[in-house]
Amino acid sequence: MSITYKKLWKLLIDREMNKTQLKEEAQVSSNVIAKLGKDEPVSIETLVKICVVLGVDIGDIISLEAK
């Protein structure tokens, strides 16, 4: 199983928000945004920051996919 953030990217498109805006509003680093873009793991703390900004649950931005 692998992590994917496809739900997050779709949510950003739906809200007409770009990655830079997300980075600034959630106060996360460019490195974190890069990891998300590569479907690499990030800390739960980071995911919570993003969820708070977007007003969603963790399951709304991350999912698992079979390899």
Side-chain angles (χ1 to χ4, degrees), residues 1-5 38-41 62-67:
M1 300 293 270
S2 61
I3 297 169
T4 182
Y5 301 101
K38 298 177 191 172
D39 287 335
E40 294 178 0
I62 187 173
S63 60
L64 298 174
E65 284 187 343
K67 287 189 176 184

Side-chain angles (χ1 to χ4, degrees), residues 3-4 9 21 24 26 32 35 45-47 49 57-58:
I3 297 169
T4 182
W9 308 131
Q21 291 169 317
E24 292 169 357
V32 165
K35 282 185 172 189
E45 180 182 326
T46 298
L47 295 175
K49 285 181 182 181
D57 190 37
I58 286 180

Side-chain angles (χ1 to χ4, degrees), residues 30-63:
S30 298
N31 188 37
V32 165
I33 299 297
K35 282 185 172 189
L36 293 170
K38 298 177 191 172
D39 287 335
E40 294 178 0
V42 297
S43 72
I44 294 295
E45 180 182 326
T46 298
L47 295 175
V48 169
K49 285 181 182 181
I50 292 169
C51 288
V52 168
V53 165
L54 298 174
V56 297
D57 190 37
I58 286 180
D60 296 327
I61 64 169
I62 187 173
S63 60

Side-chain angles (χ1 to χ4, degrees), residues 9 12 16-30 33-34 53:
W9 308 131
L12 291 183
E16 297 180 358
M17 185 178 206
N18 63 39
K19 292 178 183 180
T20 302
Q21 291 169 317
L22 177 65
K23 177 179 84 80
E24 292 169 357
E25 289 188 34
Q27 297 179 347
V28 296
S29 69
S30 298
I33 299 297
V53 165

